[in-house]
Amino acid sequence: MTEKKTPLLDELEKGKWPSFVTEIKRAAVKSPASAELLQVLERSYAERRGHWKHGGIVGVRGYGGGVIGRYVDEPETYPNIAEFHTVRINQPSGFFYNTKTLRTICDLWEKHGSGLTNMHGSTGDVILLGCKTESIQPIFDDYSEAGFDLGGSGSCLRTTNCCVGPGRCEHACYDTLEACYNITNEFMDELHRPMWPYKSKIKFSGCANDCTGAIARADISVIGTWRDSLRIDQNAIKEYAAEEFPIQSAVVAKCPTHCLTYNKETQELSVVAEDCTRCNHCINLMPKAIQAGKEKGATLLVGGKSTIVQSAFMSSVVVPFMKMEVEDDFEEFKDTVRRIWEWWDENGKTRERIGETIFRLGMGKFLRETEIPPVPQQVFRPRANPYVFWNQEELDQSGTAMDGSEVKNYNK
Amino acid sequence: MAAKLDQGPPNYKEMLPPVILENYGKWKYHEIPRPGVLKHVSETGATMHSVRVASPRLVSIDFVRDLCVIADEYCEGFLRFTTRNNVEFLVGDEAKLNPLLAELEAKGYCVGGTGASISNIIHTQGWVHCHTPATDASGVVKAVMDDLYEYFDSMKLPAKLKMGLACCLNMCGSTHCSDIGIVGVHRTPPRIDHDKIRKGTEIPSLVASCPTGAIRPDPKNKSVIVNNDKCMYCGNCYTMSPAMEIYDAKNDGIAILIGGKVSNARSAPSFSRMVIPFLPNNAPRWPETTKAIRDIIELWIANAHKGERLGEWVERIGWERFFSLSGLPFSDMLIDDYIFARETFRTGAAFKY
Ligand code: SF4
Ligand code: SF4
């Protein structure tokens, strides 16, 4: 292979931030496909446009998703990336790895593909970037043998994802790592065999800091919380005071509900528990002194998605508090999402995310039909317009059943 | 041999270092002893240090193997990646922390991304692998992070700053809820390849894909017609059909949105809002984009209260004040005219001149 020049990309090997160009070049040493990728990318930089054709349908036996087909637009010039498909591998919860596992991923990818990866895709998967159609099944067979499975793509449950949780975070209100693992395994069929109107994502965050961005990036967002009072260790507060930490200005004054009071004399902090919205601010600032309550669980929010088609939506509260217990196998959660998906599967139009289906048909209808009770926590404020739907069957219909011409006799 | 179906991901329990297994769910608090290093303390008194290192996300297997060598030497063979695609070395044995840091420095790794810093930019495929991009992802991210590197390995910002980049309006990732969102945008309507449409596009789905109803069927031609006045160049029709090519090298570029967040701390999660409708695709360094972002960040640093996220600052001073302070031109392009537009208009008489 003759060395071709890449002056524009070479610019991006300078500077302090680690360079993806360097990475592609490293892969190109062993992979002709990666070498050609570099050439195509250089052209894209010169021409300011992409060179990938519309994806085709490729995959493995037994599954309906997990592989993204990709073809370069000038296959004659770039035969090694004429096919350059992506394989999504389901990552372990919390992106924790032992080096043996990571080396296996690398070795198999060296054998079959471009040697380029994304660690990780935005949804969470390990992205194996670039292989030929004929390699897809052998890739899956080898990874499967080594204990890996494909992630999701298409109109299915996508790969689930979670924050670092109890593995390393004092804020975690439930076991996000186990929830992610357990629930992913429960819904393998929904993940591997697309059968829904469109994609659906679940993300598990251990607290309101939402380190997976669940509220913005998942149709079903599970955000850890507690139901009783946050716990304050007054001795630890005194230690913060001794270090001259600005308790009043940095913590108390910024509490969104003004439910914290700091007594400068006694150096004690108190909270009006029923006014706290569990935003996590005070805990973030004084982790040694303030802890979540004891009665822990999660809030279930639904409908998050990005721009297309009806604008970006954030998930909104559906179930304010739900137990997320390893002991009962996350039963309440599984039961609830099954009802939600069933409703969406029945009512959603093609390529309509669940947030859009709820928006089109109404939150009231959604709640009624999924048997989730309406509660004030689901809204910032009640409706301002009076355009309310009533169930006609529950009203006295002896008046409306009349022929309109008889109306003058009505109420006589 | 046949592949095993539905076996799911590897069990995370096998991926946890001993210090985590012993202190799982027992962490009491954490500190940030220096930029890039977290110290977690357990109820049992045990400690663990995490050393956060930058990654370009698009990496070779050799990069991953290099990480493994380090993890074997200092971390009993364990490491993790973060939700922002950084790498974290998990150090159970405190005696290994300084040697690890020395080794990372010697090998040129970038340690940082903790606390009130700019961490990695969540980003997408761009010209490297996607068929609908209006800009590149990896290149823009590299240019922006090189420019702002001083904020990655320090913690001198008013609050943390999260950035997201999406190479088209599909907005994969977190751009719509980031302190600063970088979005690839088109500015010209799609070009219809009628032959291709006749050869296999499902016309009703194509028509339905358009957010503004700009596409209608053209039965006489067995194709479609685009009403260019209604098209805002989102490219969703191209996602549905290869016959609707929309890239336009001369007019594609980048829009900048600011002020989004996902955490609930203090204020509710919020969307980022457009403040610059277009910047050119000047590869390989995107100087207009890096400058615009730096200017916004420096304005925030100069004016925000301590602890105030970018969006919280702008909401406090008012968007009109943000525009006057930043000198960014305000135009009708920044006024929403889509489905939920009305709630973004000012329905009150209180504002600043
Ligand atoms: S968690 Fe938030 S709302 Fe509750 S007391 Fe702390 S700062 Fe206030
Ligand atoms: S680019 Fe978007 S707005 Fe324009 S015709 Fe296509 S789908 Fe409609």
Side-chain angles (χ1 to χ4, degrees):
Chain A
M1 168 112 226
T2 48
E3 274 291 297
K4 299 226 182 73
K5 295 217 155 60
T6 53
L8 294 170
L9 290 175
D10 293 351
E11 274 303 306
L12 291 174
E13 289 199 274
K14 300 171 188 161
K16 277 199 166 161
W17 191 252
S19 169
F20 70 100
V21 175
T22 307
E23 293 303 317
I24 302 177
K25 287 186 177 175
R26 285 177 88 180
V29 173
K30 294 177 227 166
S31 155
S34 291
E36 278 185 5
L37 175 71
L38 204 61
Q39 296 308 317
V40 169
L41 196 58
E42 177 71 15
R43 245 183 92 183
S44 285
Y45 271 58
E47 298 167 9
R48 301 179 185 188
R49 57 159 291 204
H51 277 283
W52 299 100
K53 275 200 296 198
H54 224 262
I57 295 173
V58 288
V60 302
R61 284 190 297 277
Y63 288 176
V67 187
I68 316 298
R70 194 65 80 223
Y71 304 86
V72 83
D73 65 354
E74 278 183 31
E76 321 75 42
T77 327
Y78 307 105
N80 288 297
I81 50 172
E83 298 161 346
F84 199 66
H85 312 311
T86 288
V87 180
R88 292 185 176 159
I89 298 284
N90 198 336
Q91 84 288 1
S93 284
F95 307 114
F96 281 101
Y97 290 97
N98 59 46
T99 50
K100 182 169 165 283
T101 302
L102 280 177
R103 287 199 175 96
T104 305
I105 292 175
C106 295
D107 293 348
L108 294 177
W109 192 230
E110 178 157 341
K111 176 175 160 198
H112 290 289
S114 70
L116 280 173
T117 75
N118 288 158
M119 299 297 274
H120 294 76
S122 288
T123 300
D125 305 276
V126 174
I127 303 291
L128 304 175
L129 200 68
C131 68
K132 292 191 167 35
T133 311
E134 63 190 32
S135 308
I136 293 173
Q137 189 66 41
I139 287 170
F140 178 47
D141 291 345
D142 275 5
Y143 276 96
S144 179
E145 176 74 18
F148 301 94
D149 202 344
L150 295 191
S153 70
S155 294
C156 64
L157 171 62
R158 296 295 184 82
T159 305
T160 53
N161 196 5
C162 63
C163 68
V164 68
R168 201 205 43 204
C169 182
E170 67 269 23
H171 302 315
C173 290
Y174 69 100
D175 191 341
T176 53
L177 301 174
E178 178 64 23
C180 187
Y181 182 64
N182 179 314
I183 289 158
T184 305
N185 280 308
E186 176 84 18
F187 296 116
M188 279 284 107
D189 198 30
E190 286 80 355
L191 195 153
H192 287 134
R193 296 165 198 93
M195 52 178 115
W196 285 337
Y198 202 12
K199 66 177 101 166
S200 190
K201 303 189 180 188
I202 309 181
K203 281 188 164 52
F204 299 96
S205 280
C207 80
N209 287 332
D210 195 1
C211 293
T212 53
I215 200 161
R217 305 167 71 185
D219 300 83
I220 301 201
S221 319
V222 192
I223 299 183
T225 193
W226 64 93
R227 198 152 53 172
D228 50 346
S229 174
L230 50 75
R231 290 174 285 166
I232 302 174
D233 174 349
Q234 300 297 348
N235 289 329
I237 296 283
K238 292 189 176 73
E239 281 163 33
Y240 276 103
E243 286 165 24
E244 297 189 19
F245 182 81
I247 299 176
Q248 180 61 37
S249 62
V251 182
V252 175
K254 295 211 166 133
C255 167
T257 59
H258 306 294
C259 66
L260 289 172
T261 312
Y262 178 57
N263 183 327
K264 230 177 155 207
E265 248 97 85
T266 61
Q267 298 187 338
E268 281 184 5
L269 185 72
S270 62
V271 63
V272 182
E274 49 276 23
D275 285 342
C276 166
T277 49
R278 304 166 316 286
C279 78
N280 240 65
H281 170 70
C282 58
I283 303 183
N284 291 342
L285 264 78
M286 303 170 79
K288 291 181 192 170
I290 313 181
Q291 271 183 291
K294 283 189 177 145
E295 208 190 330
K296 291 177 176 147
T299 300
L300 183 73
L301 305 92
V302 172
K305 59 177 278 291
S306 190
T307 329
I308 293 212
V309 178
Q310 306 246 17
S311 303
F313 291 3
M314 271 188 258
S315 287
S316 70
V317 173
V318 166
V319 181
F321 187 84
M322 182 179 268
K323 283 270 177 204
M324 291 292 285
E325 302 281 8
V326 180
E327 292 76 48
D328 74 3
D329 205 27
F330 305 99
E331 201 187 332
E332 188 184 350
F333 176 83
K334 290 175 183 167
D335 188 54
T336 311
V337 292
R338 275 203 184 90
R339 292 204 312 275
I340 291 174
W341 286 333
E342 204 178 308
W343 180 84
W344 172 52
D345 197 22
E346 210 144 280
N347 292 281
K349 294 194 204 169
T350 308
R351 290 177 73 84
E352 186 178 56
R353 295 286 283 270
I354 187 161
E356 290 170 326
T357 310
I358 295 172
F359 174 65
R360 179 169 56 84
L361 296 176
M363 180 61 90
K365 183 177 163 73
F366 165 74
L367 294 173
R368 275 192 303 281
E369 294 179 0
T370 52
E371 292 168 41
I372 297 171
V375 290
Q377 286 78 8
Q378 288 156 346
V379 295
F380 276 131
R381 46 192 78 87
R383 71 191 305 152
N385 64 67
Y387 300 157
V388 177
F389 290 101
W390 290 95
N391 182 351
Q392 294 298 307
E393 257 124 63
E394 285 171 6
L395 302 182
D396 176 350
Q397 291 195 312
S398 57
T400 53
M402 283 185 309
D403 184 325
S405 62
E406 292 171 37
V407 109
K408 53 183 176 296
N409 300 320
Y410 186 48
N411 275 351
K412 268 193 183 156
Chain B
M1 108 233 74
K4 215 169 137 202
L5 294 184
D6 296 333
Q7 66 177 328
N11 191 336
Y12 67 95
K13 285 181 190 145
E14 287 154 27
M15 310 290 164
L16 301 177
V19 58
I20 288 189
L21 283 172
E22 282 152 28
N23 297 283
Y24 195 85
K26 295 185 203 152
W27 299 107
K28 193 160 180 288
Y29 68 91
H30 78 276
E31 291 168 339
I32 310 181
R34 51 156 280 186
V37 179
L38 303 168
K39 175 187 182 183
H40 281 82
V41 181
S42 161
E43 283 163 7
T44 66
T47 62
M48 178 179 77
H49 287 82
S50 308
V51 179
R52 192 172 287 171
V53 163
S55 157
R57 191 181 87 107
L58 168 55
V59 296
S60 66
I61 48 181
D62 289 334
F63 178 92
V64 178
R65 285 170 174 154
D66 289 349
L67 299 177
C68 289
V69 172
I70 297 172
D72 280 343
E73 170 129 23
Y74 300 95
C75 311
E76 298 165 272
F78 295 92
L79 64 107
R80 73 178 288 265
F81 294 81
T82 71
T83 52
R84 305 193 73 78
N85 307 308
N86 287 313
V87 181
E88 281 177 353
F89 293 104
L90 308 167
V91 192
D93 175 1
E94 192 163 351
K96 296 214 166 135
L97 178 64
N98 285 328
L100 167 64
L101 288 167
E103 167 115 9
L104 291 172
E105 195 186 352
K107 291 196 164 149
Y109 287 92
C110 303
V111 175
T114 54
S117 69
I118 295 179
S119 189
N120 211 341
I121 303 181
I122 291 183
H123 63 278
T124 54
Q125 299 294 16
W127 293 332
V128 171
H129 204 250
C130 192
H131 59 173
T132 66
T135 189
D136 188 37
S138 306
V140 183
V141 165
K142 166 78 174 143
V144 172
M145 288 309 288
D146 276 344
D147 185 54
L148 296 170
Y149 188 79
E150 67 200 270
Y151 298 114
F152 174 78
D153 69 352
S154 66
M155 303 194 291
K156 55 189 180 190
L157 295 173
K160 66 179 73 174
L161 185 111
K162 297 187 178 181
M163 287 194 267
L165 176 145
C167 48
C168 81
L169 292 197
N170 267 329
M171 295 229 224
C172 300
S174 64
T175 319
H176 57 301
C177 283
S178 299
D179 294 283
I180 296 185
I182 307 165
V183 187
V185 290
H186 303 289
R187 293 189 297 167
T188 50
R191 303 174 289 274
I192 312 173
D193 182 333
H194 297 287
D195 269 349
K196 258 194 201 163
I197 294 220
R198 285 189 279 267
K199 270 191 208 126
T201 291
E202 206 193 300
I203 291 179
S205 308
L206 174 57
V207 169
S209 74
C210 180
T212 55
I215 307 175
R216 65 188 154 87
D218 179 4
K220 259 210 325 241
N221 243 329
K222 294 204 172 61
S223 184
V224 295
I225 296 171
V226 172
N227 179 346
N228 285 352
D229 291 342
K230 277 190 169 179
C231 173
M232 42 58 183
Y233 339 110
C234 69
N236 198 35
C237 53
Y238 179 68
T239 305
M240 288 303 297
S241 164
M244 308 291 285
E245 195 93 66
I246 194 167
Y247 81 83
D248 173 357
K250 295 201 177 86
N251 290 296
D252 291 348
I254 281 173
I256 304 288
L257 287 70
I258 69 165
K261 81 194 247 290
V262 294
S263 101
N264 290 271
R266 302 171 304 283
S267 52
S270 60
F271 289 121
S272 28
R273 308 269 164 190
M274 191 180 285
V275 292
I276 302 176
F278 184 80
L279 294 166
N281 265 336
N282 269 337
R285 282 275 166 197
W286 282 269
E288 297 83 358
T289 298
T290 57
K291 176 171 188 314
I293 292 174
R294 173 174 278 278
D295 287 350
I296 291 169
I297 290 172
E298 285 178 352
L299 193 65
W300 168 59
I301 295 172
N303 291 281
H305 293 165
K306 197 166 161 32
E308 213 167 33
R309 294 280 292 266
L310 178 56
E312 293 175 309
W313 164 62
V314 179
E315 288 284 336
R316 174 170 61 78
I317 63 169
W319 288 87
E320 73 277 32
R321 188 93 183 97
F322 169 78
F323 280 97
S324 65
L325 282 176
S326 65
L328 287 171
F330 189 83
S331 69
D332 58 2
M333 281 179 280
L334 302 179
I335 302 179
D336 196 352
D337 49 16
Y338 197 47
I339 303 175
F340 304 105
R342 206 196 58 97
E343 66 195 37
T344 65
F345 303 158
R346 189 185 300 274
T347 53
F351 54 81
K352 298 173 185 172
Y353 284 111

